[in-house]
């Protein structure tokens, strides 16, 4: 057609021939062109009947040129809407009708003769004749299946990318090249508490009150705009007004937009605040652990479980084992003395692998320096980074073991001590029993002193003195064992200290006169009241006076004074004796403390007297002091709290401790015949009518027969003991009012209570002096339990 412009004009024939040839040539040119182009071409006449199909059109429609020629175009070129499946108006028809070039509507499917459908893209244009009139239509179309597939692929890929962006937990913002936000994903909105409305279309730096206006981000985005290479792991720390301080890792890259021209910036924001915190915590905890490890007072070894070799050690282990840390590295446990040999070490190792831990409470160890150490060894296996590691904790327990041994020794000592105390208690108790009858017997002899010869008198006074001393010793022994076993109880009442002092003077009188010593006594005129246990206090004074006599030469001087000083009552016992060495003074009140003395131990004593005195005084709320110098004598001062003023006035001084006795019928019962007989003799001498029996059964008989007013009965009788006899007799009306006195070696409160429960009126502890016996009888006369008589 374009060639028509190049036709030449000749003679008419030649012109005709020439124009026929030209026409053929043009047709051929047209045919070849249409056959070789990639688009399908169909032409119609003005009626819309097909006049021509090129090979591509033949293949797409399924019609051949021959078949289609003269057939209406609608049959050959059947098109429907892709979605509605309705017939679409043929563009060729419209081009014919309107004489215009018509483009095809989108989504058109060509239905081929065979029924095959394929998407096409087409256009139609009218063919105009020489006069400009429409002579037909040319329809050009092409198969767009492949293009569609490519488009869909792109769309799918885009949707895929979008869904990834939407679902990742990492906040992502997509920016236009001018840094306005195109969009952002849900994570972004959630993480930074902003809405899509206040985000999309805005400049990133203006978002949320300019909270994204971060200088570092600015420089990063500016440089990515200039340079296409992506930014990776750009760390930014920023204080956001709403969500606080965050540490973020930013990743950005430029991406081409769908139109293939403009570019977008994809900005991924990873909030690593928590990770950083966790890392910091981990570092801290590692540091703490390390510090612990370094400063632990336990030796710690870390071993590789695979090789059994030491990989790490703390400083303390070097102290225990005697190796430096360097020397320990790569060693096995047996090489550093922790196990006897390689075999033992390997056995322990196997056990450790099987059970996960081993423990030896006591592992003997010779350290490098040859020092024997006892260690506690605990070992555990644990996993570190998929590696098995062994930790051994080694504690030097030598000191603890030593302490334990010392404790066992102390306990053994304490046990020995306790048994010694028990032995002393038993011994003193047993010593008392023979003392009582001896004392009674000597007293009896003394009653006959008018008729005795000089040697008799001398012998008697020797016995008297020695028995007196023996008794003091035994009493002290007994007392100390009571004190040490905590079994002492004071029976306190308001007493006049002068009377106590007088009693003590009487007791020591035989010793003092034997030693030809003088006692200068100074007592106040008025009674000196205090609240105390008179027999215990008398014991204190006796002990001090006895010492004064013992540790002074014959003919020496002893001074005793009693005074009132403010709230205290002060008793002083001074002597002109040997005195006490200065080194002994601080310990003088300790149990068994004694000065060096000659082998014959002429002064005797057990070293308990002062201890007893001090303890008793302290139990009364007082104190004892001593001042002494060698060769210059000694002075012991006792301070005791006085009775408060108000209480004193109520008391009437009573000197009369020995009321006049009347004669009683007395039954004496004791299986110790010496004791029984001597007591009976004494009582007879006192003017009483006495009968003696030596057992429980005979006591029962004698009691009914003799009807005693007073009974003096031993508790520890064989067959029927004293308690039983008393209980039985108490049921007899005739003996209901008899005055029953128990005699026992035991003087605990519980012993007294048991006597009382059995029906006794009084409880005398053996050995008792004739004076105590007298007092017990006096109590019978007054029919009142006289407490001091109850006591000893
Ligand atoms: P004992 O007299 O039985 O040895 P004490 O406890 O009464 O026990 O006395 C302890 C020691 O204190 C005595 O052995 C003696 O060495 C010393 N001692 C006590 N009183 C005096 C004193 N008045 N003068 C010198 N030494 C004394």
């Amino acid at each position: 057609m374009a060639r028509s412009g190049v036709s030449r004009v000749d003679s008419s024939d030649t012109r005709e021939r020439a124009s026929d040839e030209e026409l053929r040539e043009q047709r051929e040119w047209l045919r070849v062109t249409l056959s070789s182009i990639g688009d399908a071409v169909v032409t119609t006449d003005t009626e819309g009947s097909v006049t021509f199909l090129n090979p591509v059109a033949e293949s797409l429609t399924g019609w051949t040129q021959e078949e289609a020629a003269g057939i209406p175009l609608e049959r050959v070129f059947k098109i429907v809407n892709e979605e509605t499946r309705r017939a679409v108006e043929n563009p060729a028809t419209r081009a014919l009708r309107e004489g215009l070039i018509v483009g095809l509507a989108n989504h058109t499917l060509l239905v081929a003769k065979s029924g095959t459908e394929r998407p096409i893209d087409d256009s139609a244009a009218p063919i105009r004749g020489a006069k400009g009139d429409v002579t037909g239509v040319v329809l050009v179309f092409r198969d767009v299946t492949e293009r569609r597939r490519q488009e869909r692929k792109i769309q799918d890929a885009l949707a895929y990318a979008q869904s990834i962006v939407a679902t990742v937990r990492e906040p992502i913002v997509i920016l236009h090249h001018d840094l306005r936000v195109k969009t952002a994903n849900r994570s972004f909105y959630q993480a930074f508490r902003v809405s899509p409305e206040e985000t999309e279309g805005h400049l990133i730096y203006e978002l949320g009150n300019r909270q994204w206006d971060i200088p570092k981000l600015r420089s990063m985005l500016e440089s990515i705009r200039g340079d296409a290479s992506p930014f990776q792991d750009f760390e930014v720390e920023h204080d956001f007004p709403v969500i606080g301080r965050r540490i973020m890792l930013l990743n950005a890259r430029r991406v081409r937009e769908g139109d293939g021209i403009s570019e977008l910036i994809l900005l991924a924001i990873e909030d690593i605040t928590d990770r950083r915190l966790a890392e910091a915590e981990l570092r801290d905890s590692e540091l703490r652990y390390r510090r612990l490890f370094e400063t632990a007072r336990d030796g710690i070894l870390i071993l590789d479980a695979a090789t059994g070799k030491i990989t790490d050690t703390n400083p303390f282990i070097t102290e225990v084992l005697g190796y430096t840390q360097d020397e320990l590295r790569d060693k096995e446990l047996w090489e550093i003395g922790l196990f006897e040999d390689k075999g033992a070490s390997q056995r322990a190792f196997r056990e450790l692998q099987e059970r996960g831990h081993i423990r030896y409470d006591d592992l003997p160890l010779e350290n490098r320096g040859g020092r024997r150490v006892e260690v506690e060894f605990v070992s555990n296996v644990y996993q570190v980074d998929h590696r098995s590691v062994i930790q051994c904790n080694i504690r030097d327990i030598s000191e603890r073991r030593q302490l334990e041994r010392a404790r066992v020794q102390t306990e053994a000592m304490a046990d020995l001590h306790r048994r010694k105390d028990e032995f002393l208690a038993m011994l003193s108790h047993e010593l008392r029993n023979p003392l009582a009858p001896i004392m009674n017997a000597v007293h009896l002899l003394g009653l006959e002193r008018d008729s005795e010869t000089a040697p008799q008198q001398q012998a008697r006074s020797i016995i008297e003195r020695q028995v007196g001393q023996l008794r003091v010793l035994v009493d002290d022994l007994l007392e100390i064992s009571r004190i040490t076993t905590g079994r002492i109880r004071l029976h306190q009442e308001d007493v006049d200290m002068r009377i106590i002092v007088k009693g003590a003077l009487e007791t020591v009188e035989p010793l003092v006169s034997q030693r030809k010593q003088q006692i200068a006594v100074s007592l106040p005129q008025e009674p000196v009241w205090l609240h105390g246990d008179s027999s215990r206090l008398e014991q204190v004074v006796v002990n001090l006076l006895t010492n004064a006599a013992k540790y002074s030469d014959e003919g020496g001087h002893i001074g005793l004074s009693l005074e009132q000083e403010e709230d205290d009552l002060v008793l002083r016992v001074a002597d002109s004796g040997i005195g006490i060495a200065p080194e002994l003074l601080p310990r003088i009140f300790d149990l068994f403390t004694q000065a060096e003395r000659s082998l014959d131990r002429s002064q005797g004593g057990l070293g308990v007297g002062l201890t007893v005195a001090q303890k008793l005084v302290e139990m009364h709320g007082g104190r004892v002091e001593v001042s002494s110098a060698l060769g210059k004598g000694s002075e012991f001062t006792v301070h005791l709290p006085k009775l408060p003023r108000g209480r004193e006035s109520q008391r009437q001084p009573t000197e009369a401790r020995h009321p006049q006795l009347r004669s009683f019928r007395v039954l004496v019962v004791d299986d110790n015949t010496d004791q029984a007989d001597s007591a009976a003799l004494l009582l007879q001498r006192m003017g009483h009518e006495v009968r003696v029996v030596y057992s429980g059964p005979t006591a029962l008989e004698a009691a009914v027969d003799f009807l005693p007013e007073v009974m003096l009965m031993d508790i520890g009788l064989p067959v029927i003991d004293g308690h039983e006899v008393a209980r039985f007799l108490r049921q007899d009306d005739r003996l209901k009012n008899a005055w029953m006195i128990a005699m026992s070696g035991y003087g605990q409160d519980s012993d007294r209570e048991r006597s009382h429960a059995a029906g006794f009126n009084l409880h005398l502890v053996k050995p008792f002096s004739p004076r105590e016996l007298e007092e017990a009888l006096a109590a019978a006369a007054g029919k009142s339990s006289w407490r001091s008589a109850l006591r000893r």
Side-chain angles (χ1 to χ4, degrees):
M1 285 171 259
R3 291 280 178 112
S4 60
V6 290
S7 58
R8 278 180 295 147
V9 180
D10 230 314
S11 69
S12 70
D13 264 10
T14 344
R15 265 203 320 266
E16 243 170 60
R17 252 195 329 274
S19 80
D20 278 357
E21 236 169 78
E22 249 176 44
L23 199 64
R24 248 195 332 272
E25 212 177 287
Q26 274 182 0
R27 283 232 169 93
E28 184 57 13
W29 177 84
L30 190 65
R31 192 187 60 78
V32 173
T33 306
L34 290 176
S35 304
S36 53
I37 62 167
D39 285 351
V41 180
V42 178
T43 56
T44 67
D45 56 19
T46 48
E47 300 308 313
S49 299
V50 175
T51 53
F52 171 79
L53 269 84
N54 77 343
V56 181
E58 282 182 328
S59 121
L60 289 181
T61 60
W63 291 77
T64 62
Q65 167 74 34
E66 287 75 34
E67 285 169 345
I71 303 282
L73 179 67
E74 279 77 15
R75 280 188 57 207
V76 177
F77 183 73
K78 239 165 88 179
I79 49 175
V80 293
N81 181 285
E82 207 171 37
E83 273 148 26
T84 62
R85 313 236 11 114
R86 288 231 195 89
V88 176
E89 189 192 25
N90 203 305
T93 316
R94 224 176 115 202
L96 264 181
R97 191 175 64 230
E98 294 174 11
L100 295 170
I101 299 172
V102 178
L104 190 66
N106 277 334
H107 312 297
T108 305
L109 286 179
L110 170 68
V111 184
K113 196 177 176 200
S114 62
T116 311
E117 296 178 354
R118 42 173 77 84
I120 55 162
D121 212 8
D122 62 5
S123 63
I127 307 169
R128 293 190 186 274
K131 296 182 195 103
D133 55 324
V134 175
T135 60
V137 178
V138 60
L139 178 70
V140 180
F141 58 97
R142 71 166 70 100
D143 181 356
V144 293
T145 312
E146 186 53 30
R147 202 181 79 203
R148 280 291 180 78
R149 199 168 33 237
Q150 289 303 334
E151 275 171 11
R152 194 155 304 131
K153 240 178 160 174
I154 290 169
Q155 267 166 9
D156 285 353
L158 201 67
Y160 180 67
Q162 275 169 351
S163 67
I164 290 178
V165 168
T167 48
V168 285
R169 295 181 52 187
E170 198 168 285
I172 292 174
V173 205
I174 297 160
L175 304 171
H176 291 291
H177 196 252
D178 62 1
L179 302 184
R180 279 183 194 285
V181 177
K182 178 177 161 65
T183 184
N185 67 352
R186 202 155 43 95
S187 302
F188 178 84
Y189 297 126
Q190 277 174 355
F192 296 98
R193 314 233 183 108
V194 283
S195 66
E197 294 71 48
E198 54 187 341
T199 307
E200 286 169 13
H202 295 273
L203 200 64
I204 180 142
Y205 307 129
E206 286 164 3
L207 297 187
N209 288 331
R210 303 193 70 83
Q211 57 174 305
W212 283 95
D213 192 1
I214 307 166
K216 247 181 144 179
L217 177 69
R218 257 181 194 275
S219 68
M220 171 192 158
L221 289 175
E222 288 312 325
S223 71
I224 203 166
R225 282 175 74 192
D227 176 4
S229 58
F231 264 88
Q232 268 171 359
D233 294 343
F234 195 83
E235 194 170 318
V236 176
E237 194 169 341
H238 185 64
D239 227 339
F240 288 93
V242 184
I243 57 168
R245 189 162 201 83
R246 312 307 290 175
I247 307 169
M248 298 168 293
L249 267 193
L250 303 182
N251 276 284
R253 66 160 55 232
R254 278 184 6 197
V255 285
R256 202 167 284 281
E257 214 178 346
D259 61 10
I261 306 157
S262 48
E263 285 205 325
L264 296 174
I265 297 171
L266 196 94
L267 178 65
I269 306 156
E270 187 185 357
D271 184 345
I272 55 162
T273 316
D274 291 346
R275 196 206 305 166
R276 284 277 184 274
L277 273 178
E279 281 167 3
E281 264 169 34
L282 190 70
R283 262 198 316 277
D284 277 3
S285 110
E286 264 169 14
L287 215 70
R288 268 201 305 276
Y289 169 75
R290 196 72 214 172
R291 227 175 284 138
L292 249 170
F293 181 78
E294 297 291 337
T295 57
R297 302 299 294 164
D298 268 359
I300 303 173
L301 296 174
I302 307 291
L303 275 68
D304 180 339
T307 61
K309 290 196 161 123
I310 296 171
T311 56
D312 201 359
T313 55
N314 75 337
F316 189 71
I317 192 72
T318 59
E319 263 184 54
V320 182
L321 298 175
Y323 289 91
T324 66
Q325 282 179 287
D326 277 347
E327 286 167 332
L328 287 172
R329 199 147 302 131
D330 285 332
K331 290 264 185 346
E332 289 182 41
L333 295 184
W334 62 274
E335 293 177 277
I336 51 172
L338 263 164
F339 289 95
E340 264 158 47
D341 50 28
K342 195 169 183 167
S345 177
Q346 282 170 345
R347 272 196 300 283
F349 211 68
R350 266 199 300 281
E351 196 185 330
L352 177 63
Q353 303 275 24
E354 278 163 23
R355 292 180 24 206
H357 64 94
I358 46 170
R359 176 191 184 99
Y360 298 99
D361 288 338
D362 208 337
L363 201 65
L365 167 93
E366 190 172 308
N367 81 358
R368 195 191 202 178
R371 184 168 75 94
R372 304 285 306 172
V373 201
E374 285 163 285
V375 297
E376 190 180 80
F377 179 92
V378 183
S379 185
N380 292 291
V381 189
Y382 58 91
Q383 300 290 316
V384 181
D385 296 338
H386 308 293
R387 235 168 9 98
S388 278
V389 169
I390 296 173
Q391 178 174 333
C392 306
N393 283 44
I394 296 147
R395 179 173 296 179
D396 187 344
I397 52 162
S398 312
E399 213 168 290
R400 197 212 296 168
R401 285 280 179 271
Q402 231 163 359
L403 283 174
E404 273 169 15
R405 279 192 287 271
R407 185 178 54 77
V408 170
Q409 259 173 9
T410 315
E411 271 168 19
M413 287 291 286
D415 187 50
L416 202 71
H417 210 70
R418 189 177 46 73
R419 280 188 285 135
K420 180 209 71 194
D421 286 345
E422 279 166 10
F423 171 75
L424 276 181
M426 190 270 295
L427 179 73
S428 48
H429 183 76
E430 289 303 314
L431 287 175
R432 284 189 122 185
N433 283 337
L435 269 181
I438 299 173
M439 274 159 63
N440 290 346
V442 169
H443 189 75
L444 276 170
L445 290 177
L447 296 175
E448 307 288 339
R449 59 166 62 92
D450 296 344
S451 56
E452 68 190 354
T453 61
Q456 275 173 338
Q457 191 263 326
Q458 202 182 358
R460 181 182 52 77
S461 56
I462 289 172
I463 299 172
E464 213 168 55
R465 278 195 306 276
Q466 297 304 319
V467 165
Q469 278 191 41
L470 204 57
R471 186 184 158 171
V472 172
L473 288 179
V474 171
D475 280 352
D476 282 349
L477 256 189
L478 202 63
E479 206 67 338
I480 206 71
S481 71
R482 283 198 195 113
I483 290 171
T484 51
T485 51
R487 286 186 313 208
I488 201 161
R489 276 261 294 277
L490 297 180
H491 297 277
Q492 283 171 293
E493 55 198 348
D494 295 350
V495 285
D496 180 359
M497 187 66 188
R498 296 179 309 164
I499 296 174
I500 292 169
V501 171
K502 281 181 192 166
L505 285 168
E506 266 177 49
T507 307
V508 296
E509 200 282 324
L511 176 68
V512 173
S513 56
Q514 183 230 345
R515 295 184 65 74
K516 302 187 181 62
Q517 292 160 335
Q518 304 282 315
I519 305 189
V521 181
S522 152
L523 295 178
Q525 292 298 310
E526 294 297 302
V528 184
W529 293 106
L530 87 163
H531 190 68
D533 183 324
S534 45
S535 57
R536 304 285 192 212
L537 290 174
E538 188 177 314
Q539 199 178 348
V540 172
V541 186
V542 167
N543 284 359
L544 295 180
L545 284 172
T546 309
N547 279 351
K550 277 198 301 187
Y551 303 111
S552 299
D553 291 337
E554 285 203 0
H557 294 278
I558 300 172
L560 183 149
S561 69
L562 181 63
E563 289 164 38
Q564 311 208 39
E565 281 177 14
E566 293 177 5
D567 296 338
D568 281 356
L569 189 169
V570 183
L571 174 90
R572 288 195 175 81
V573 177
D575 64 61
S576 58
I578 58 172
I580 301 166
E583 65 274 13
L584 203 64
L585 263 186
R587 295 187 289 118
I588 203 73
F589 293 104
D590 292 352
L591 193 55
F592 305 128
T593 297
Q594 292 184 318
E596 291 270 334
R597 58 186 53 155
S598 54
L599 273 179
D600 63 3
R601 297 182 51 84
S602 55
Q603 280 103 342
L606 298 169
V608 299
L610 284 181
T611 315
V612 169
Q614 189 198 41
K615 289 273 185 310
L616 290 175
V617 168
E618 281 170 0
M619 284 175 77
H620 280 86
R623 62 181 198 281
V624 190
E625 286 159 6
V626 59
S627 69
S628 178
L630 272 182
K632 300 262 168 63
S634 316
E635 183 177 90
F636 287 85
T637 312
V638 178
H639 291 259
L640 284 164
K642 293 201 299 201
L643 208 59
R645 281 223 160 265
R647 290 242 303 260
E648 284 177 22
S649 55
Q650 298 162 13
R651 314 297 311 194
Q652 286 305 312
T654 45
E655 285 264 4
R657 278 181 49 157
H658 311 296
Q660 210 54 46
L661 286 186
R662 69 174 181 86
S663 169
F664 289 118
R665 268 195 313 284
V666 185
L667 178 64
V668 178
V669 191
D670 199 327
D671 64 326
N672 180 335
T673 49
D674 282 352
Q675 166 70 35
D677 292 346
S678 61
L681 275 169
L682 259 180
L683 289 164
Q684 274 166 6
R685 295 299 306 218
M686 288 178 193
H688 303 291
E689 185 188 347
V690 186
R691 195 180 280 190
V692 191
V693 290
Y694 307 107
S695 75
T698 49
L700 292 175
E701 273 173 39
V704 208
D705 178 46
F706 182 52
L707 293 179
E709 293 156 289
V710 175
M711 268 184 278
L712 196 63
M713 187 145 42
D714 181 35
I715 296 298
L717 295 171
V719 193
I720 308 177
D721 72 16
H723 289 136
E724 264 182 86
V725 176
R727 263 195 294 274
F728 192 83
L729 293 180
R730 274 294 185 226
Q731 289 166 14
D732 191 319
D733 278 351
R734 292 164 299 172
L735 294 164
K736 245 189 359 225
N737 295 321
W739 188 249
M740 292 196 197
I741 304 165
M743 298 188 288
S744 167
Y746 299 94
Q748 299 287 308
D749 286 349
S750 57
D751 302 317
R752 294 171 198 282
E753 274 154 24
R754 282 178 60 210
S755 295
H756 182 71
F760 284 103
N761 300 91
L762 273 180
H763 183 104
L764 276 185
V765 181
K766 292 197 274 190
F768 42 84
S769 65
R771 204 181 79 202
E772 282 170 306
L773 186 60
E774 230 175 295
E775 285 169 353
L777 268 293
K783 285 277 161 71
S784 70
S785 305
W786 189 5
R787 289 201 64 88
S788 68
L790 257 170
R791 200 86 17 76
R792 301 193 67 172

